[in-house]
Every structure is written in structure tokens, then in C-alpha cells.
Amino acid sequence: MQTLQLPSKREIPILGQGTWRMGEKASQKQAEINALRLGIDLGMTLIDTAEMYGEGGAEKVVAEVISGRREEVFLVSKVYPFNASYQGVIAACDRSLSRLKTNYLDLYLLHWRGGIPLSETLEGLQYLKQAGKILDYGVSNFDVDDMEEAISLPGGDGIATNQVLYNLMRRGIEWDLLPWCKQRNIPIMAYFPVEQRAFINHSHLKAITQCLSEAEIALRHNATSTQIALNWLLRQNNIISIPKATNPNHIRENRAALDINLTEEDIKEIDRAFKPPSRKMSLAIR
Ligand code: NAP
């Protein structure tokens, strides 16, 4: 699996697996465990979870998946903003570690910005890093102004990544956040990479044009539209992506998406159908 370097110089795989909506239903648990295990076997060893997902349920699913193979996995979890005070983030991390049945996280993120001063959260994250409970820390759903503020604070220069919504259909971060992060060698973790076309109103001409264009490119590469959307993200050199899939066919497809080679012509076609931003847009949130 290809990797990117975090500012700490540690390597992070560019393609991983999300876990949102996992750990919510007991009847789904085994399928979720099997799915994540298959993904790891195929090389998608980065697992992204959060205390929020299933209110700890997703972390418990992940614990079963990584049991006996912790060292193979790059494990990411996130703290709720309302738990992100100095003492709160330390306690929340301990709870996550205990649910995950491990003694360290590879990366720990502030899930989104809340009312607690960032300086306090960063102090807690630095403590956790010094204690060896987390190897890196970062943020999520931060726009440029939040990032500017964060890096100006003590510990802000240790921010390893910013996890934000980014996909072909929502390219707003290309206006400012993406170049800002690139300039500082801070990789972006793209969530919601597989925007569900089902939600689009297909009577809308723009959506039809987009779907057709994606489908044509997919046909040329003997791939699916979703794989094209995923490859388009992964071919950029500052992006990590974490699609969530429980269906084994989806998992195999997501891994195979890495191997597609989009041509310059494909990229031009994509840019015509899915236009890059021409002005500042507010940060998209799932
Ligand atoms: P996503 O990964 O873009 O979409 C998940 C959906 O896409 C599932 O319904 C899945 O179906 C389907 N899917 C996956 N691979 C597919 C394929 N190859 N072909 C067709 N359908 C496919 O959306 P997401 O779960 O919202 O985002 C990914 C991860 O990012 C989350 O799981 C979570 O870890 C993280 N996230 C973070 C934040 C944040 O605020 N930081 C917010 C949202 C998400 P099946 O499950 O049936 O396979």
C-alpha cells in the first residue's frame, strides 16, 4: 500500500477503511468484522473510527478486528468536541483505548471544533503523545481560519492531518484549504469519498451529465464510477481516503481503485463535468 508522510515523518497508508454506522446493530456485527478483516488482508490497514460511532460500538467492533494483529493496523480514533478539555481528552482517549483493547492509537483527532478552547485540547493531545498513548494527533472539519488559529497555538505545529469531506462532487477545499495544507505538508484525510449518487435528483441535467461522464470514463478503464471517483482522490499526492464498506464486493473494488491509471484526458473530462471551485465555499460537512 502506498503511504504518505505525516509531518512527524511517520508513514500513513493512503487508502483505509471508515467505520461510521458500524457497531450500531448486533445483527450486523459479524459482517462488519468480516468486512474490516477482508480490507486489512487486501492492504487497507488504516482503520478510521471515533468514540461517536455507535457511541463506542464501532470501536468495540474494531477491537475484535485488530485482536492479534494490532501492529499491522494504522488506527485512528476521534474525540467528541465536548470531551476535548485538557482532562476530558485524556479520559476520552483512555476510554477509547479500553474499548479498542489496545494501548496506543496511531492518530487521534478532534472530531470537530466545539466550545472548548483549542489551546486546552492541544495541551491534552500533547500530554497523550508524550505518554505514548497516541503517536500523532490532528483535527477534523477545520477550515483555513481554524487551521491558522490552531497552528499558532502551542502544540499546533504537531497537527498531523485535517480530516474533511472531499469528493468529486464537493471540491470546495481546492480553493484554499487544500493548497494551504499542501504548502505545510499536512495531508488531508478525505471522508465521504463515495458520495451516494442515489441521493441526487437525476432529473437535474448537471447530475445526469456528471454521471454519464463518470460512467464513460469507468467504461474505458473497465471500472465502476465509484472506483473512478476514488482513484481521482487517491492520485493526488496529499490525500488519504477512508471509504466505509460492509459489502465484500465494495471492499475489493475500493482496493482495486488504487490500480487505475487515469489519463490527462480523463482528468480534463472530469474537470468539465465536476467543476473545481471558482470562489471560496464554506466547508462541507456530512
Ligand atoms: P462513504 O465511505 O463515502 O460511503 C459509504 C457508503 O458507500 C456505504 O453505503 C457503502 O456501502 C458504500 N460504498 C462503499 N464502497 C462502495 C463501492 N465501491 N461501490 C458502491 N458503494 C460503495 O461515506 P462515509 O462512511 O460517510 O465516510 C467514510 C468514513 O469517513 C466514515 O465511515 C468515517 O470513518 C469517516 N467520516 C468522518 C467524518 C468526520 O466528521 N470526520 C464524517 C463522516 C465520515 P456498503 O457499506 O454496503 O458496502
Side-chain angles (χ1 to χ4, degrees), residues 154-222:
D157 56 354
I159 291 175
T161 187
N162 183 12
Q163 185 176 116
V164 294
L165 193 161
Y166 180 41
N167 63 39
L168 257 184
M169 310 186 79
R170 292 203 265 166
R171 300 180 59 172
I173 66 165
E174 289 172 34
W175 184 252
D176 51 358
L177 183 63
L178 191 55
W180 189 96
C181 287
K182 259 191 187 154
Q183 210 177 9
R184 290 160 184 79
N185 292 320
I186 299 175
I188 289 275
M189 290 184 84
Y191 72 71
F192 200 26
V194 183
E195 183 142 352
Q196 289 305 283
R197 308 299 191 274
F199 295 130
I200 302 167
N201 176 358
H202 279 230
S203 64
H204 194 279
L205 186 62
K206 186 173 150 210
I208 294 172
T209 315
Q210 288 176 333
C211 288
L212 280 176
S213 166
E214 216 179 29
E216 270 175 33
I217 299 170
L219 203 63
R220 288 205 287 275
H221 290 272
N222 194 19

Side-chain angles (χ1 to χ4, degrees), residues 20 43 54-55 70 91 93 114 120 129 131 151 172 183 191 199 226 233 238 249 282:
W20 191 29
E55 291 303 326
R70 171 68 186 91
C93 182
E120 243 194 82
K129 190 169 172 179
I151 61 156
Q183 210 177 9
Y191 72 71
F199 295 130
T226 301
L233 277 175
N238 200 39
N249 292 332
S282 49

Side-chain angles (χ1 to χ4, degrees), residues 17-22 35 47-50 52-53 78 109-112 139-141 163-165 167 189-196 224-227 230 241-255 257 285-286:
Q17 305 183 79
T19 63
W20 191 29
R21 303 271 189 233
M22 290 191 180
I47 297 185
D48 178 84
T49 190
M52 185 187 105
Y53 303 160
K78 311 185 200 76
L109 308 178
L110 172 61
H111 209 147
W112 65 91
V139 294
S140 176
N141 298 303
Q163 185 176 116
V164 294
L165 193 161
N167 63 39
M189 290 184 84
Y191 72 71
F192 200 26
V194 183
E195 183 142 352
Q196 289 305 283
T224 67
S225 297
T226 301
Q227 286 179 306
L230 201 50
S241 192
I242 46 169
K244 175 261 168 189
T246 308
N247 178 326
N249 292 332
H250 289 164
I251 295 165
R252 291 193 186 88
E253 278 176 21
N254 293 345
R255 171 59 189 84
I285 291 173
R286 181 84 150 95

